[in-house]
Amino acid sequence: MDFDFNPPQSSNRSKRRSRFRDRLPLLFMCLAAAFTAGFFLLQQDAGVTEAHFQPDPVEVQAADDADSPPAISSLENHRPEPEIAREVIKDFIAPGDTITALFKDHFSPQEIHRLSQQSQKVFPLTGICAGQPYQICLADGDFESFLYEIDREEQLLVKKGEEGFEIERIPIPYTVETEIVQGRIESNLFSAIADSGEAPELAMRLADIFAWDVDFILDIRQGDSFKALVEKRYREGEPSGYGRILAAQFINQGKTFDAILFKDGERSAAYYDSEGRSLRKAFLKAPLSFTRISSGYTMRRYHPITKTWKSHPAIDYAAPTGTPIKTVGDGTIIRIGYTRANGNFMEIRHVNGYTSLYLHMSKFARGMTQGKRLSQGQVIGYVGSTGLATGPHLCFRMRKNGAPINPARIKAPAAPSVSSQNMAEFKQHAAPLLAQLDGDANIRQAQIESNP
């Protein structure tokens, strides 16, 4: 009997279908399990994402209580403002400058006119002077403020406000240090001040304080000395001149003169000696500072031009052309003009029958006219050589009731002393100042306390 070891194909396919049917249930079970696992994983991921962007309200409150970072909208509300670009233009007033020229790039002519009108009562803008510093501040290119130095004490501040201009005078900010300045005279006060390392301005200030008692041309001697308690001013760390001279002492030919700055009640601050007597007197000792006597008061002098002998009831002060001339006392101009002999001259009437004459001036100060009232120390003109003069000098004369007198020998009455009601305050004020000059605070204080 023959055996067939290769059965027919139809029989094999039937067997494979049978095995596949048997395995179907197991396959369905695996697919179901895989689907279920995937579904739960997707749900978990979705839950985490939702919790991240939409937290529970209670949890948000807790986070806020723990000072968590602000929300995005809060950060937007607190963003810093854009920084303003500021520019400061610093310069000096040039000759011929006007407020229109300075502001033409910032304001219309109508606005400049309104500014000038508004500033008139505070400081007339027509009064800006060449050489004075100023600065203009801009914010994002627009005008913000204008600052102009009126003098050594005050500034003019102009700001643009919402309803026009804001204009005011403000003090110049200084840092002030008080120091003692001292020196010894070898030739003159001007040189002594320079030798001590100080500016010429201080010599002028000291000469003005003692001008009623010391003629710094006739009276100065080698060996004279001075001390002064001076305020030195600084701006932005740089020296910027002098403030007040609080107290000073000048020793001339062995005689000591004290000066203490004090405000007596409603009066203006003035200088008094250690006993409270005013240093101010009816007449200054001289109408010029730091010059020399070229010809003194005499009843017989040989005139260098007329070649004749004649009286010279005057003092001639030789000085460079243009040196300022000051009136020696309060008064009124009674004559002013020009003559062939006297050149440009001025005569001033003072109290008690006194008059003073000033001859050979190069020119008069601005505003000098007959009848004008003058204050002691006011500049009235400038040294020259007009008229019969061999060189620049001032011929200075004084008369009383029409008769010539020697200006160097006038015993002028003093201004009022410190009032009795303020004398105790003055002495308490003066004691520490004089002590600093003397270098002996204990003795000076004891004297004041035992003599109130």
Side-chain angles (χ1 to χ4, degrees):
M1 180 176 182
D2 294 334
F3 290 91
D4 185 3
F5 291 99
N6 293 305
Q9 287 184 344
S10 60
S11 176
N12 290 337
R13 284 197 294 270
S14 297
K15 291 178 180 180
R16 284 198 295 270
R17 282 197 295 270
S18 176
R19 285 197 298 269
F20 179 75
R21 284 194 298 269
D22 293 339
R23 293 174 181 171
L24 277 176
L26 179 61
L27 178 62
F28 283 125
M29 289 177 64
C30 291
L31 289 173
F35 179 81
T36 303
F39 176 80
F40 281 111
L41 287 173
L42 289 172
Q43 285 292 99
Q44 186 177 4
D45 290 343
V48 170
T49 305
E50 183 178 358
H52 178 72
F53 289 104
Q54 297 180 358
D56 186 83
V58 175
E59 293 178 358
V60 171
Q61 184 64 42
D64 290 343
D65 292 343
D67 294 331
S68 63
I72 293 175
S73 60
S74 177
L75 287 172
E76 290 176 349
N77 292 337
H78 291 83
R79 283 177 181 169
E81 293 293 329
E83 187 174 345
I84 297 175
R86 282 190 162 81
E87 179 185 2
V88 179
I89 302 170
K90 295 184 178 182
D91 207 340
F92 294 86
I93 302 294
D97 268 354
T98 64
I99 205 68
T100 300
L102 292 175
F103 287 169
K104 65 181 180 180
D105 294 333
H106 310 289
F107 301 116
S108 66
Q110 293 78 12
E111 288 177 312
I112 295 173
H113 178 68
R114 285 197 298 270
L115 170 61
S116 297
Q117 286 185 319
Q118 190 176 340
S119 181
Q120 194 67 26
K121 292 182 179 179
V122 181
F123 177 79
L125 294 178
T126 54
I128 60 173
C129 295
Q132 290 297 100
Y134 74 91
Q135 65 181 41
I136 296 176
C137 296
L138 306 177
D140 288 337
D142 295 328
F143 177 90
E144 187 174 58
S145 66
F146 170 71
L147 196 63
Y148 166 77
E149 290 197 10
I150 298 171
D151 51 31
R152 293 181 54 208
E153 306 299 330
E154 287 189 305
Q155 298 171 309
L156 176 70
L157 176 62
V158 177
K159 298 174 71 176
K160 184 70 180 295
E162 294 182 0
E163 299 181 359
F165 294 100
E166 300 173 7
I167 306 171
E168 61 180 330
R169 296 171 79 130
I170 60 174
I172 295 176
Y174 290 108
T175 300
V176 179
E177 296 179 4
T178 303
E179 296 182 16
I180 289 183
V181 176
Q182 57 186 327
R184 184 176 183 274
I185 306 294
E186 295 297 335
S187 57
N188 56 59
L189 178 61
F190 187 90
S191 298
I193 289 290
D195 291 342
S196 68
E198 302 297 331
E201 175 195 349
L202 186 58
M204 302 294 291
R205 298 274 297 279
L206 281 173
D208 286 343
I209 291 173
F210 295 106
W212 294 279
D213 294 308
V214 180
D215 185 332
F216 285 89
I217 302 166
L218 290 175
D219 299 338
I220 296 299
R221 298 290 185 273
Q222 185 178 18
D224 290 350
S225 62
F226 65 89
K227 291 181 182 179
L229 189 61
V230 183
E231 290 179 339
K232 291 187 175 182
R233 303 196 291 196
Y234 298 85
R235 292 182 70 180
E236 300 177 355
E238 296 296 324
S240 188
Y242 302 98
R244 298 172 300 173
I245 297 178
L246 302 177
Q249 186 180 83
F250 195 86
I251 300 176
N252 175 233
Q253 301 183 45
K255 184 177 181 181
T256 300
F257 298 93
D258 289 326
I260 300 101
L261 183 63
F262 181 71
K263 190 177 188 312
D264 183 12
E266 296 301 317
R267 300 179 188 174
S268 299
Y271 288 98
Y272 301 86
D273 68 13
S274 57
E275 300 301 319
R277 295 183 292 258
S278 176
L279 267 61
R280 179 184 172 91
K281 297 177 177 61
F283 301 113
L284 298 174
K285 291 280 282 184
L288 300 175
S289 301
F290 307 111
T291 56
R292 65 180 179 85
I293 301 294
S294 57
S295 182
Y297 189 95
T298 177
M299 290 296 102
R300 182 173 172 82
R301 185 192 73 151
Y302 184 75
H303 197 284
I305 295 179
T306 62
K307 309 298 183 183
T308 59
W309 290 90
K310 58 187 300 185
S311 65
H312 186 252
I315 296 177
D316 286 351
Y317 293 97
T321 299
T323 301
I325 301 168
K326 297 178 286 188
T327 173
V328 294
D330 296 342
T332 302
I333 299 175
I334 57 175
R335 286 197 303 158
I336 182 172
Y338 179 90
T339 66
R340 181 178 175 276
N342 297 329
N344 292 318
F345 77 97
M346 185 184 299
E347 185 174 8
I348 300 172
R349 182 177 63 239
H350 308 286
V351 297
N352 301 326
Y354 287 98
T355 60
S356 58
L357 290 92
Y358 311 79
L359 314 179
H360 308 302
M361 290 189 279
S362 61
K363 63 179 181 178
F364 304 114
R366 183 180 298 178
M368 295 295 116
T369 57
Q370 186 172 335
K372 182 178 179 63
R373 289 283 303 165
L374 302 172
S375 300
Q376 187 180 58
Q378 184 173 346
V379 174
I380 59 173
Y382 303 90
V383 169
S385 54
T386 57
L388 296 180
T390 57
H393 74 287
L394 170 68
C395 179
F396 175 61
R397 305 181 181 216
M398 290 197 72
R399 296 173 179 158
K400 184 172 184 181
N401 298 325
I405 56 174
N406 187 344
R409 295 184 179 179
I410 294 177
K411 299 296 182 182
S417 301
V418 172
S419 59
S420 57
Q421 62 265 33
N422 293 322
M423 185 60 76
E425 180 188 350
F426 166 75
K427 290 192 173 182
Q428 289 179 351
H429 171 78
L433 300 178
L434 292 171
Q436 291 184 70
L437 294 179
D438 291 347
D440 195 344
N442 294 331
I443 293 177
R444 180 70 73 164
Q445 185 65 34
Q447 289 174 342
I448 295 299
E449 290 177 349
S450 63
N451 243 331

